[in-house]
Amino acid sequence: MLAWFLNERHFTLKLLIVSFVLNGAMAFSRGASYWFDTIAYFEIARVIADPAAFHQLNESNFGLFFQHIVPGLPLLILLFEKIFGTMLWPAFAVLQYGLSAAVCVYFARGFDGLIKRSSQLILVVLIETFAYYSDFHSAILTESLSASLALLIIAVTVRCLDGKYPLYRALISLLILTFIGCQFRSYLVVIGAGCSALAVFERRRFRQFWLYGVVAVVAVASAVAYPAYRAAAGGRFKPLNVDALMLMHTSYVAWDLDARSQRALDSVVFDPVIREKLTLQREALNTNDVLKLVSDLEARGLSRDQAGDLINTASKTVRTQSTEIMLRQLQLSLSSLGFQYLATCCDSSRALRRGFDGKAMLDHLKRYYRWNAGLAKNYQRTFETYNALYLQPPYLYSQAAIDWYTSRVGPYIFDQAYMFRPALGITRLIPPDFFIILGLAGFIIARRNWQMISILIICMAPIYAASLMASVVGNTRYSHPLWPLYFLGLVVVGERAASKFKPSPQTTS
């Protein structure tokens, strides 16, 4: 049976059937998934087609906190609402699970010269049944679609490097994917542009240097398209940023401030309660503190943008005051690559984040790893708790957005997963660090390893850098598009190990 399946005849079709069946099973076992900030995309979708209302939202407290969100998902929510109405979430689930099923096969088949067909089958099964990866297909968040777009970029690049696609055809596809991807996750502009440049370099070196210029122009256009729309709607042209939030984020890792940091805060922090929070280790700043910081600066004649710039400048001083603080950020941000133990080692009693020692931080990462894999419980109760929080200060969300979001997602939430999904809880027993380290080793030992390592770096570097610079302490959700790459490396390791231990044929005299 296996020999028939692995036969070249219709192998891609057979692999597609397997992928769709697995995705269907994972979808039906889960129901709707969500996160606290899912509602933010509905809030933007509510007004994005109305320039006046859109401008008003951007000037509100909501706009202060969510200047980094890009328009792809809100536009898709608005489109699906018009087409599917109350069936919005099921339509999203079909799109995201179906797209992942097809893209996963396209991705695996792209490495036909690197791994065997049996390994391609294993790769598809690993990706589609990995609960942490699969669960985001059930959520109206950017993770699923951005991961599928990243896999498409990688798969097209690999085919171009192999000579299966002509350069111009591949480059046009990559640049289109880069523009679209940037509207769902801003770091995809770096992945798309990096893979495009790699394809040009491999096929032309520097003989057609103008092609690198085309890549750069498309990358810049992708990054400024949404800020330009915000400016056209009556706002100011400014790149996506989290400037106003940076002192709150920095407070997670910085305390016992030195004289230089204290001086930097003198021109930013005027509230004695907030100043005390920053200098003691008990608690970090919160969203209400951010609003107070900005309002105090506005009361002194600064614009909101100027206030954000000043807060960001002060946070840079604080977060770089000592090697210890910088090392905390570098280590904690490893969680954005999927690491748990490496992101929290090596002294379990060391204060790693405000309110967390190493052990507590590891438990924190494990808890949200289980939650985002659909392997926890009480999803309905937590959804209701979140809805209650939306109605509390600082009142970022409108009642219209809350009602819209809860009516479209709430009816499809299971309190816990069903069918075979709980059996996948075995993944909790295997630290993700194990998969990642083996996966990275696979890229090192793979054939054409310089090309493979280049692709890996192009994908990992912007995710880690974005997490380090913006969130300071990392976010495991950012690792979502990297898991198929880790499993690819893992399959390479397994294939190499199998060949090493394969019994040599007996010779007869």
Side-chain angles (χ1 to χ4, degrees):
M1 179 67 177
L2 183 59
W4 169 84
F5 187 92
L6 298 177
N7 188 280
E8 182 63 35
R9 184 177 175 82
H10 305 309
F11 176 68
T12 300
L13 177 60
K14 289 178 279 190
L15 206 55
L16 276 169
I17 293 171
V18 169
S19 186
F20 273 95
V21 168
L22 290 174
N23 268 279
M26 296 297 284
F28 282 110
S29 72
R30 180 62 177 98
S33 181
Y34 60 91
W35 192 237
F36 185 82
D37 59 0
T38 304
I39 189 175
Y41 298 98
F42 281 79
E43 187 70 77
I44 295 174
R46 187 177 62 85
V47 299
I48 195 169
D50 181 345
F54 181 64
H55 172 63
Q56 185 178 5
L57 180 67
N58 283 324
E59 294 300 309
S60 69
N61 288 339
F62 175 92
L64 176 69
F65 283 95
F66 294 101
Q67 294 184 52
H68 59 285
I69 289 183
V70 284
L73 186 60
L75 287 171
L76 202 56
I77 290 172
L78 184 62
L79 175 64
F80 273 42
E81 172 67 23
K82 293 183 180 299
I83 297 173
F84 301 104
T86 57
M87 297 296 289
L88 174 68
W89 178 82
F92 253 94
V94 170
L95 169 68
Q96 294 186 151
Y97 275 102
L99 182 62
S100 177
V103 169
C104 184
V105 171
Y106 183 68
F107 171 75
R109 294 293 287 146
F111 295 95
D112 198 33
L114 178 71
I115 56 177
K116 301 174 183 176
R117 286 194 292 274
S118 57
S119 296
Q120 294 170 35
L121 172 61
I122 293 171
L123 177 60
V124 169
V125 173
L126 283 173
I127 294 172
E128 303 297 19
T129 59
F130 184 52
Y132 184 79
Y133 185 79
S134 171
D135 197 66
F136 285 103
H137 305 328
S138 293
I140 302 180
L141 289 167
T142 57
E143 276 75 13
S144 175
L145 292 172
S146 59
S148 292
L149 289 167
L151 290 191
L152 279 172
I153 289 171
I154 295 166
V156 171
T157 302
V158 169
R159 284 168 169 80
C160 181
L161 297 178
D162 285 346
K164 296 176 182 176
Y165 284 176
L167 175 61
Y168 292 139
R169 171 186 169 187
L171 193 58
I172 291 171
S173 300
L174 288 172
L175 294 179
I176 291 172
L177 290 169
T178 297
F179 184 87
I180 296 172
C182 185
Q183 312 316 312
F184 286 90
R185 278 283 188 179
S186 54
Y187 57 68
L188 282 177
V189 71
V190 181
I191 295 176
C195 286
S196 299
L198 178 63
V200 173
F201 178 79
E202 176 63 18
R203 298 293 294 273
R204 293 290 190 274
R205 291 295 191 268
F206 299 107
R207 294 193 300 275
Q208 292 178 292
F209 197 77
W210 61 272
L211 289 175
Y212 295 102
V214 172
V215 172
V217 167
V218 172
V220 172
S222 303
V224 304
Y226 186 50
Y229 174 72
R230 290 197 306 195
R236 298 166 300 280
F237 181 86
K238 189 172 184 180
L240 306 177
N241 69 88
V242 291
D243 290 350
L245 312 183
M246 285 310 299
L247 203 52
M248 177 177 70
H249 293 170
T250 300
S251 72
Y252 299 149
V253 295
W255 51 86
D256 296 330
L257 306 185
D258 61 13
R260 177 169 161 265
S261 293
Q262 296 283 6
R263 287 194 301 272
L265 296 179
D266 288 341
S267 60
V268 177
V269 183
F270 305 103
D271 188 298
V273 176
I274 297 177
R275 188 67 177 248
E276 183 181 9
K277 275 188 177 183
L278 286 167
T279 54
L280 299 179
Q281 193 179 339
R282 289 195 301 269
E283 58 180 319
L285 301 190
N286 57 40
T287 53
N288 290 313
D289 295 327
V290 173
L291 291 175
K292 186 67 168 66
L293 286 171
V294 173
S295 65
D296 285 349
L297 290 167
E298 287 179 323
R300 285 163 170 77
L302 274 70
S303 69
R304 177 169 284 189
D305 285 344
Q306 290 172 329
D309 291 339
L310 201 60
I311 290 170
N312 186 38
T313 300
S315 73
K316 289 177 181 177
T317 301
V318 175
R319 66 186 294 192
T320 58
Q321 77 167 32
S322 70
T323 302
E324 183 181 3
I325 290 175
M326 289 188 284
L327 287 176
R328 284 189 200 125
Q329 298 167 65
L330 291 169
Q331 183 176 4
L332 287 168
S333 293
L334 290 172
S335 65
S336 64
L337 302 180
F339 291 103
Q340 290 181 5
Y341 286 85
L342 199 60
T344 56
C345 76
C346 298
D347 180 358
S348 62
S349 62
R350 175 170 63 105
L352 196 56
R353 174 178 168 173
R354 196 180 292 238
F356 294 85
D357 58 19
K359 183 180 184 304
M361 193 65 203
L362 178 61
D363 291 340
H364 174 79
L365 292 178
K366 286 181 176 179
R367 182 166 64 253
Y368 285 103
Y369 178 70
R370 292 194 295 270
W371 172 271
N372 287 323
L375 300 172
K377 297 180 180 180
N378 299 322
Y379 286 94
Q380 289 175 330
R381 189 183 310 169
T382 304
F383 185 74
E384 294 167 1
T385 301
Y386 284 175
N387 292 340
L389 291 174
Y390 297 147
L391 298 172
Q392 297 178 14
Y395 306 113
L396 299 179
Y397 310 103
S398 66
Q399 188 64 54
I402 295 171
D403 292 342
W404 182 24
Y405 165 58
T406 55
S407 67
R408 297 299 183 259
V409 177
Y412 301 100
I413 295 173
F414 299 164
D415 203 41
Q416 66 184 79
Y418 296 102
M419 293 171 60
F420 69 90
R421 194 183 188 94
L424 297 173
I426 191 174
T427 58
R428 291 183 295 178
L429 305 177
I430 305 174
D433 304 56
F434 174 80
F435 294 124
I436 297 170
I437 291 170
L438 281 182
L440 297 179
F443 277 81
I444 294 172
I445 66 174
R447 294 189 299 274
R448 305 178 322 210
N449 65 337
W450 82 266
Q451 293 177 343
M452 299 295 295
I453 292 173
S454 297
I455 291 173
L456 184 66
I457 292 173
I458 288 169
C459 293
M460 293 179 71
I463 292 175
Y464 180 75
S467 173
L468 177 64
M469 299 307 296
S471 74
V472 177
V473 294
N475 189 325
T476 56
R477 283 169 48 187
Y478 295 167
S479 68
H480 189 252
L482 297 175
W483 280 102
L485 288 171
Y486 296 150
F487 284 128
L488 172 63
L490 185 64
V491 166
V492 170
V493 169
E495 196 172 273
R496 286 292 186 92
S499 66
K500 291 286 185 183
F501 293 102
K502 184 178 180 180
S504 58
Q506 298 293 321
T507 59
T508 58
S509 57

